[in-house]
Amino acid sequence: MIKSWFASLANRAVALVVAFVLVTAVVVASIGSALSRSELEYQAHRQVEMIVGMVTRDLDQKLALRRDVLSHVSSEIPASEALLQNRARVILRQQAPLLRLFDALFIMDAEGELLAANPLDYLVPSFNASERPYFKAVSSQLVPIISEPYVTALEGRPGVMLAAPLFDHRKRFTGMIGGLILLDGDNFMSDISGIRVGDAGYLRLITRQGVVLADGRDGRVMVPVDARQSSIARAMEGFEGTLRDESDQKMPTITAYGQMAQVPWFVAAVWPETDAFASVNRMRDAFSWTLLSVLVVLIPLAFWFFHRLLRPLRDLSIQIYQRHTGERQMPVSETGGREIRNVARVFNMVRHERDEILRSLAEREAFFRSLTQDAPIGIVHSNILGRIEFVNPALLNILGETTEQVTQRYLSSKVAVEDRDAALAGWRRALTRRRFYRGRLRLLTTRSPGYVWVDTMTSVIELPDQTLGTITIVRDVTREMRFEQALREEQQRADSILDVLQEGVLMVDKAGLIRYANDAAGEFLALGDDCIGENFFETVVFRYDNHKMEPEEFQEGDEIDNRYVTLENSQGLVYDIDLTMLHLRRGEHEERLVFVLRDDSERRREEERLSWEATHDALTQLVNRRAFTAALLKALAEAPHQATPAVLMMIDLDHFKPVNDQGGHLVGDDLLKRLADLFQSAVRQSDTVARLGGDEFAVLLPGCGLDRAEALAENLRSRVEALKVQHDGRSFGVTVCIGLTLVSAGDSGPREVMARADEGCYIAKSRGRNAVVSVPAPPDDTGL
């Protein structure tokens, strides 16, 4: 029924008009929807980014304010151990205004015992915080901290502790003052849950450890997030920005992430796309109903119009049939539209010319046969069924047969079985599509080895209204095939040799298009077997002495022999390469460039290893005296410009020789390595720890200040004193003498600073060892 309906030209025209209207409407609507959606998506991205930025900055400011206020209060509290034990509650009552910033305040002693709480309802008797991560961080780092979220002892409510250390007049740690922010309390943390993005969007506050602090979707806190979501996992690794999140297949969202500066937390703003693009969806629905209404009116009108327009064409078809059967002797009427009149005119002209063509056909056939008799190439004529009707002598010579043996046989019977199917398919395509068919195949022959290779070209013989068959030209190419096979074998041998080489070998033309590349070259370019035809200069970047080598340096420059360069491919992989480049047929049209790429990574890694060994101590992996002196020189150069001066700490071990004598050098080496690990873990990442030789160590503390350095040195001294190494049932340990001094702009060089710090070590030894001594820097008279 469908085929019958579409057989009508009028129905096809109606379908075409409807399809055109539909396609045009859909395209216009799609483009408009896409543009609207793109603009809305851009605005949505900007909006969630702005909200995340504002909330992140606000949270950072509020946390920084509370930490700074708590740090200031801790510095103003006289915090001797006795005073804390006796007046902790009075001190907290004096700090009652802080409760506007915190849900509760606490004071704990150096052992973690809770001494006082404000409000008093939050005082947990006999509570000890020594195992709490926030207390460990404050007591070890001796700086104000903001803790990770944890479950408090206050009925299991989740919270975050801001804590600051308390010191006595000797700068000894005597306890801490802490401010608690409850995640489920009525404070700025819970306000995040009430912020909306659009109508259905919400905010979430999450730690990089994957713990929810505030959730505007369901209000739950202290629950783990689903780290399998790719966007959450990226944010936990430090990602900032906006992306389309499809983790929730039912409701894709636009999600923005902002990392906080004060703590390892991040804010996520989530806006469902159904809410963000609601206006576009409404416009799409309205457009669909409008289009349906237009089609309801358009289809009946189009049917009436096209049936009326094509009525002359139906009359023409009747006249053509009558003319063909002889019922009509006069030419067909040329009426109707211009196209219909043209069809009628052409039919009358073709009908007249047909008779002329039939009269001259016999003459042309006779001329064709006489022309092909002496042709040097084979020619065969077959009818539309594929039977041979004519063969010239050249083809008979190729086949080794007579005219009688070939005529009226199927043309495919002379083709080798292996090539017969492909030849038949090509011959049929030429016959049905009126196109040339070219192919290379084997024809059966009576000569040894039983077949010959030939190139064939088939064309259709046709009249304006009839196909008469095909004409095929055949050329013997057996000798050419032998030469081509020999060339291919030589090429395969050359390719096999190049493919087993570890060096990458490739050849490019003057424009940079790759003409050949072995397997090793394909690995360097990260293109595999598909690199032929790629532009070599667009695929890789060479750098020599921090200079990018441009294509002109290869195309116009001299040949290159063993130059050490770096190669970066399209996937961002970087290789250390020993590069050789040669010119072939330079200056000619077919000029080629040959590149040889040798992997030089092993030699460069060896150089990096030797460089590292030259600046580090082999036993402790710390920097050695040479590297430490360079760092100290840099600190001296920066000293005039630093607001907080750097501090040099010299560390000399006490009683280390008995460890070697009694426990052996292996025990002594083990103790030195443990001490090195202890020093590294106790200082900041920006600090430089070195072993100067034997049992002498040094630490450079940039931007530290002497007060903080003394507290750190005292912490180091106590930890070294507690460190013991067990061997054969005996315990071995050492103490340290530590000398401190500021790195002053008035110092003439590293030797002067180190001598001053060494003086502190000598004073400590003279006082009985196991002590920390600070040596003041000489007055800075550079301004005089």
Side-chain angles (χ1 to χ4, degrees), residues 401-554:
E401 296 181 332
T402 64
T403 302
E404 292 75 16
Q405 294 174 312
V406 174
T407 306
Q408 297 306 314
R409 300 282 300 276
Y410 282 106
L411 184 60
S412 60
S413 66
K414 299 302 177 182
V415 180
V417 176
E418 296 84 354
D419 302 328
R420 192 167 294 168
D421 291 341
L424 273 173
W427 181 82
R428 287 169 181 161
R429 284 197 301 272
L431 191 64
T432 57
R433 300 180 183 179
R434 307 297 194 268
R435 295 180 180 177
F436 283 104
Y437 163 66
R438 294 180 176 85
R440 175 168 290 186
L441 47 84
R442 286 165 285 191
L443 289 182
L444 300 176
T445 180
T446 58
R447 300 196 303 260
S448 179
Y451 66 88
V452 292
W453 281 97
V454 296
D455 277 344
T456 65
M457 183 174 68
T458 300
S459 177
V460 178
I461 303 173
E462 58 181 341
L463 295 176
D465 58 351
Q466 184 181 6
T467 300
L468 301 179
T470 62
I471 185 76
T472 302
I473 298 174
V474 179
R475 185 171 68 89
D476 188 349
V477 294
T478 304
R479 180 175 297 179
E480 297 177 12
M481 292 285 292
R482 292 175 185 157
F483 285 122
E484 291 177 1
Q485 180 64 25
L487 289 174
R488 282 196 296 270
E489 291 175 355
E490 290 296 327
Q491 181 66 39
Q492 289 174 356
R493 281 195 288 271
D495 291 345
S496 299
I497 294 172
L498 290 174
D499 284 340
V500 300
L501 293 177
Q502 294 182 350
E503 292 85 355
V505 180
L506 54 87
M507 180 171 65
V508 305
D509 61 18
K510 192 68 179 296
L513 298 180
I514 299 175
R515 301 297 186 180
Y516 170 80
N518 66 352
D519 293 342
E523 293 179 3
F524 281 123
L525 272 58
L527 296 176
D529 299 332
D530 302 327
C531 58
I532 304 302
E534 297 287 341
N535 192 297
F536 176 65
F537 299 127
E538 296 176 358
T539 304
V540 299
V541 175
F542 288 104
R543 286 185 173 84
Y544 175 63
D545 285 344
N546 297 322
H547 160 69
K548 178 181 177 182
M549 302 179 69
E550 300 296 338
E552 292 77 12
E553 296 184 43
F554 300 108

Side-chain angles (χ1 to χ4, degrees), residues 193-384:
S193 303
I195 299 176
R196 312 309 298 173
V197 182
D199 293 332
Y202 55 89
L203 295 182
R204 303 181 78 190
L205 178 61
I206 306 171
T207 71
R208 289 194 186 176
Q209 301 300 320
V211 178
V212 177
L213 302 182
D215 195 333
R217 178 175 57 180
D218 52 24
R220 295 193 302 165
V221 298
M222 286 299 290
V223 294
V225 296
D226 186 1
R228 293 174 298 177
Q229 297 183 15
S230 60
S231 63
I232 291 290
R234 290 178 62 189
M236 290 168 64
E237 295 174 357
F239 168 76
E240 279 191 310
T242 305
L243 46 77
R244 184 175 185 268
D245 193 347
E246 297 183 350
S247 301
D248 187 349
Q249 297 296 330
K250 297 181 180 179
M251 187 173 60
T253 62
I254 297 172
T255 305
Y257 292 100
Q259 300 289 337
M260 295 183 60
Q262 300 298 324
V263 285
W265 305 346
F266 61 90
V267 177
V270 183
W271 196 1
E273 284 191 351
T274 54
D275 184 28
F277 302 145
S279 59
V280 174
N281 296 334
R282 289 193 297 270
M283 182 177 67
R284 180 190 59 203
D285 295 341
F287 182 84
S288 300
W289 284 107
T290 302
L291 178 62
L292 181 60
S293 302
V294 170
L295 291 178
V296 169
V297 175
L298 176 65
I299 292 175
L301 184 63
F303 268 112
W304 175 83
F305 178 77
F306 281 111
H307 277 283
R308 183 179 179 85
L309 185 65
L310 294 178
R311 182 177 299 169
L313 187 60
R314 289 195 296 272
D315 297 339
L316 176 62
S317 66
I318 296 173
Q319 294 181 24
I320 290 174
Y321 178 77
Q322 293 173 345
R323 186 82 167 87
H324 177 71
T325 59
E327 298 179 28
R328 182 184 179 90
Q329 300 299 323
M330 298 178 60
V332 298
S333 302
E334 299 179 6
T335 59
R338 182 175 59 186
E339 292 79 5
I340 298 176
R341 293 198 304 273
N342 288 339
V343 171
R345 188 180 302 112
V346 170
F347 175 79
N348 290 331
M349 182 178 61
V350 169
R351 186 73 184 186
H352 174 74
E353 291 177 352
R354 177 176 177 273
D355 296 335
E356 296 293 331
I357 292 173
L358 289 176
R359 283 193 293 270
S360 63
L361 182 60
E363 298 176 1
R364 293 187 180 186
E365 183 176 357
F367 174 76
F368 168 74
R369 291 179 180 272
S370 63
L371 182 65
T372 58
Q373 285 295 323
D374 299 325
I377 58 175
I379 300 175
V380 57
H381 169 227
S382 62
N383 61 21
I384 59 175

Side-chain angles (χ1 to χ4, degrees), residues 609-625:
R609 183 185 66 80
L610 293 175
S611 175
W612 187 90
E613 290 178 352
T615 58
H616 288 74
D617 177 57
L619 176 63
T620 62
Q621 309 300 307
L622 301 177
V623 298
N624 58 19
R625 180 181 290 272

Side-chain angles (χ1 to χ4, degrees), residues 14-31:
V14 171
L16 181 63
V17 169
V18 172
F20 177 78
V21 172
L22 278 174
V23 170
T24 302
V26 170
V27 169
V28 171
S30 299
I31 293 175

